[in-house]
Amino acid sequence: MRKPRVFVPRIDPEIVLTGREAHHLLHVLRVRPGREVVVFDGAGLEAEARVLRAGEGVVRLEAGEPRAVRREPPLTPVLYLALLKGNKLADVVRAGSELGVGRFVLLVTERGVPREMGRAKLERLRRIAVEAAKQSGRSRLPEVAPPVPLAALKPVSFGLVAHPGAAHALAEVEWPGSGEAALASGPEGGFTEAEVAQLIGLGFRPVGLGPRILRAETAPLVLAAATAAARGM
Ligand code: SAM
């Protein structure tokens, strides 16, 4: 059986877990003393660990020597993602985290219906990223940055913006070997031409994702999957 992975902010010889991580271990995985788990700090370190005590909302672990692990792609996808309605962002963050996305940059766009995101919703997306990182064996935690307008973005060294009807197709892209791939995808109503021009000015190249229009939650995952397929190993 695969050992459960537990996210801890720091790997010490003895770790005391409370809150959500403890709740998950106690009430979902029903761990008992002696159970072996793997702890990871989300910043590249991992260690074997064993449950010493479990109960009353607290789990006490004894951790072995931390080791550096590398399960991150050489080219890190960074998703520039328009705010979307309902639960769609949660789905993109979950699957994007599995695909190796290093950072989600949420965008306030002209045609996007949500214009802002409350603290609780942002925290929920971050928890989803942690869960996906645990489950998929990521060595680093993906970041989820609070929403910003396009005007606040900095230039990128390699970027693509998904834009229906773009002159170039995703299949034609020459991917860099390492670094970051900035990948922008629009809201349900699409980016405006002015927004696409703004992104081009920052170094994003427009690409088409084929002759069919993909849903706003599908297109960013196509960009992330293409990056993973090109430089994910
Ligand atoms: N009517 C909108 C338009 O023409 O842009 C459709 C928007 S689509 C539902 C949401 C986002 O997904 C788009 O802004 C774009 O970033 C991306 N997208 C969807 N299908 C695409 C395609 N075939 N080629 C490139 N980008 C696409």
Side-chain angles (χ1 to χ4, degrees):
M1 195 182 11
R2 194 168 167 241
K3 293 177 192 167
R5 296 183 86 235
V6 182
F7 168 63
V8 295
R10 230 177 81 139
I11 303 179
D12 291 321
E14 195 169 323
I15 298 166
V16 180
L17 298 171
T18 55
R20 282 178 194 278
E21 285 293 330
H23 183 272
H24 186 72
L25 286 170
L26 288 168
H27 303 292
V28 181
L29 300 175
R30 300 186 178 282
V31 298
R32 298 281 177 270
R35 176 80 184 264
E36 292 181 344
V37 300
V38 172
V39 290
F40 77 111
D41 70 353
L45 290 180
E46 227 176 65
E48 300 295 325
R50 201 167 53 87
V51 176
L52 293 177
R53 289 173 68 178
E56 291 163 15
V58 181
V59 177
R60 210 170 268 277
L61 302 172
E62 178 184 50
E65 202 53 42
R67 59 178 183 270
V69 284
R70 191 171 156 72
R71 278 186 223 104
E72 298 300 311
L75 180 64
T76 306
V78 176
L79 272 187
Y80 289 71
L81 191 59
L83 289 183
L84 303 176
K85 291 188 218 158
N87 243 351
K88 294 174 188 170
L89 283 181
D91 294 338
V92 178
V93 167
R94 183 176 298 109
S97 298
E98 292 169 24
L99 287 166
V101 170
R103 197 161 72 252
F104 296 88
V105 180
L106 304 177
L107 300 175
V108 180
T109 58
E110 221 165 287
R111 296 192 187 133
V113 173
R115 311 293 305 166
E116 56 186 14
M117 175 177 283
R119 189 83 212 155
K121 202 160 181 189
L122 185 62
E123 286 309 324
R124 178 167 175 263
L125 290 181
R126 288 178 172 154
R127 284 201 301 276
I128 288 170
V130 173
E131 284 310 312
K134 278 162 62 171
Q135 174 271 325
S136 62
R138 295 276 305 257
S139 46
R140 290 191 179 267
L141 281 191
E143 282 174 46
V144 185
V148 288
L150 263 63
L153 298 182
K154 301 218 166 56
V156 297
S157 56
F158 174 85
L160 303 173
V161 47
H163 192 44
H168 295 285
L170 185 60
E172 296 169 51
V173 169
E174 286 184 22
W175 300 89
S178 58
E180 289 191 345
L183 310 166
S185 183
E188 289 88 345
F191 286 125
T192 63
E193 287 304 325
E195 287 173 329
V196 174
Q198 219 174 332
L199 288 164
I200 292 171
L202 292 167
F204 290 80
R205 277 180 287 156
V207 286
L209 305 182
R212 296 165 300 279
I213 294 297
L214 307 179
R215 292 175 70 115
E217 65 273 35
T218 309
L221 294 175
V222 170
L223 291 170
T227 314
R231 299 281 186 261
M233 306 303 283

